[in-house]
Amino acid sequence: MADIDPQISVAAAQDATARRAKRKRAFLVFGCVLAAVAVGAGLYAWIEGGRYVDTDNAYVAAEVAQVTPLVAGPVRRVAVNDTEVVHKGDVLVELDQTDAKIALAAAEADYADALRKVRQTIATGHALAAQVGERDADIARMTAQVQVATADLQRAQVDLRRRQSLVADGAVSGEELTTARNAFAQAQGQLAAARASLAQAQAARGTANGQENANAALIEGTVPETNPQVLAAKARLDKARVDLGRTIIRAPVSGVITQRNVQVGQSVAVGAVLMTVVPIGQAHVDANFKESQLTHVRPGQSVELVSDLYGDDIVYHGRVEGFSGGTGSALAVIPAQNATGNWIKVVQRLPVRISLDPHELGAHPLRIGLSMTATIDTRAHQPGRGAN
């Protein structure tokens, strides 16, 4: 075997030493990087820990508007179908107007008749006032007749007394005395008749006054247009006009038609649900967060949402509007009962209402019931950040 060159042995040893030093430096750099990442991750978790809470248990919702008729009648025309987009005020359904038009004509006739009767009552008041004046004139005439009859009676009484005093002297015949007595009796009768006529005239005036007062009570302080009877007829007329207008059923809000269940010729009743309008431009999200996630969640915080419909490329921005008054299980039709049997604690979820940006909704419409992923930024309400 040939001897190994000492120079080659030294070079190999130096090369091995260099490789070991290089590996040591690589491990040292890797350790430093790993330590820096760990420190950075720990620092981020310490600063941002608990800032974001998210859930994929979130769904699109909206305050849907049910279309119901306010008057009954047969359906003449249905102007929309399911999935159609409508605007507020668009015609949805038309009911037959025959009965409503007849009712309107009858109400118009009743209103005109009420006006006529009130005007007649006013005219009757003027006539009754004239009758009261006539009764006053009758009373004045009867009063004068009573005075004349009283004077005639006094004259007849004086004449009778004079003749009675002359009978003993024979200056007055029996016939003259009888005539005087008859004249006195006649004067008494005329006075009694005059007084009876006066009493009758006074009673007639009282009756006329009562009729005038009763008639005045019907129209006091009003003109024909403000009379209660006319106002009641006017109210019935206005209702008939409103009912005629209600035979045209319009969209209460802008949105999409769904659950249409009305057909032409169908007779609908007041309050029957004909269809539903979903206002997709006013949609919001009900996100069900775990109770342990809501420690720092407050109304007004910003939220980022992603819909399964559009994927991660479309991000919606919203804000926390408020919290439900109870958990989903507590508000269920049949709430869970944990008073008996084995009990296992289950983390509850509380619905959180989140509003959406209407401009983003207009660009990428959503439908109620679609799944969403919601992430709330709670930074503004972290302890020590100065927010409540």
Side-chain angles (χ1 to χ4, degrees):
M1 176 180 293
D3 295 335
I4 298 175
D5 189 347
Q7 294 181 351
I8 295 176
S9 300
V10 172
Q14 292 177 348
D15 185 53
T17 302
R19 284 197 300 270
R20 285 194 297 272
K22 187 176 181 180
R23 284 196 300 271
K24 185 181 294 185
R25 285 195 301 272
F27 279 118
L28 181 61
V29 170
F30 176 75
C32 292
V33 171
L34 187 61
V37 170
V39 171
L43 185 62
Y44 178 82
W46 180 71
I47 296 175
E48 300 293 344
R51 172 179 175 180
Y52 297 100
V53 292
D54 60 71
T55 183
D56 57 2
N57 188 354
Y59 305 93
V60 180
E63 305 297 335
V64 300
Q66 292 184 335
V67 179
T68 60
L70 298 178
V71 293
V75 177
R76 188 173 69 86
R77 185 173 77 94
V78 181
V80 295
N81 291 308
D82 282 339
T83 73
E84 285 192 28
V85 177
V86 296
H87 299 89
K88 183 178 181 180
D90 288 350
V91 176
L92 304 180
V93 179
E94 294 182 11
L95 303 181
D96 185 81
Q97 297 182 337
T98 303
D99 293 340
K101 288 180 177 179
I102 293 174
L104 176 60
E108 289 174 342
D110 290 342
Y111 177 66
D113 184 59
L115 276 175
R116 180 185 60 80
K117 288 181 178 179
V118 170
R119 292 190 178 108
Q120 182 180 5
T121 302
I122 294 174
T124 301
H126 297 317
L128 292 174
Q131 289 180 7
V132 171
E134 291 180 4
R135 300 291 83 79
D136 288 338
D138 291 342
I139 290 174
R141 185 172 64 255
M142 293 301 103
T143 300
Q145 290 180 359
V146 169
Q147 292 174 352
V148 170
T150 301
D152 290 343
L153 178 62
Q154 291 175 352
R155 185 170 56 253
Q157 186 178 19
V158 171
D159 188 48
L160 177 61
R161 287 176 180 174
R162 184 182 304 115
R163 280 170 172 72
Q164 285 176 342
S165 64
L166 295 176
V167 169
D169 299 336
V172 175
S173 65
E175 184 179 356
E176 289 181 352
L177 180 61
T178 299
T179 301
R181 287 175 178 171
N182 291 338
F184 178 71
Q186 184 178 2
Q188 286 180 324
Q190 290 177 348
L191 178 59
R195 287 175 175 172
S197 298
L198 176 60
Q200 184 179 6
Q202 290 174 340
R205 185 183 64 176
T207 301
N209 282 333
Q211 292 175 345
E212 182 186 25
N213 293 334
N215 190 83
L218 297 175
I219 58 176
E220 183 179 5
T222 64
V223 296
E225 290 73 15
T226 60
N227 185 270
Q229 294 179 350
V230 175
L231 291 177
K234 181 66 165 52
R236 292 191 294 269
L237 176 59
D238 291 340
K239 183 179 184 303
R241 287 174 177 164
V242 170
D243 288 345
L244 179 60
R246 285 173 173 172
T247 58
I248 306 297
I249 303 174
R250 302 180 181 275
V253 295
S254 299
V256 176
I257 299 296
T258 186
Q259 295 181 326
R260 173 195 148 172
N261 55 7
V262 60
Q263 303 297 331
V264 174
Q266 177 181 349
S267 182
V268 296
V270 175
V273 179
L274 306 183
M275 62 188 70
T276 302
V277 181
V278 180
I280 58 175
Q282 303 173 16
H284 63 272
V285 173
D286 289 328
N288 301 299
F289 282 91
K290 296 178 181 179
E291 52 189 320
S292 57
Q293 294 178 297
L294 299 177
T295 304
H296 303 298
V297 176
R298 301 290 184 273
Q301 292 174 339
S302 60
V303 186
E304 290 188 353
L305 304 105
V306 176
S307 169
D308 293 351
L309 177 64
Y310 297 108
D312 296 339
D313 294 335
I314 304 300
V315 178
Y316 295 87
H317 299 84
R319 291 199 173 275
V320 175
E321 290 292 325
F323 306 90
S324 173
T327 64
S329 60
L331 298 178
V333 177
I334 304 178
Q337 298 294 329
N338 296 321
T340 60
N342 295 327
W343 176 75
I344 299 176
K345 181 178 180 180
V346 178
V347 176
Q348 301 297 313
R349 290 181 178 269
L350 185 70
V352 177
R353 180 163 177 155
I354 300 171
S355 63
L356 297 173
D357 188 336
H359 298 290
E360 295 177 349
L361 278 176
H364 301 91
L366 296 171
R367 298 294 188 270
I368 60 174
L370 293 179
S371 299
M372 302 285 286
T373 298
T375 303
I376 301 177
D377 183 359
T378 65
R379 176 177 56 182
H381 296 279
Q382 287 275 7
R385 300 263 181 174
N388 296 324

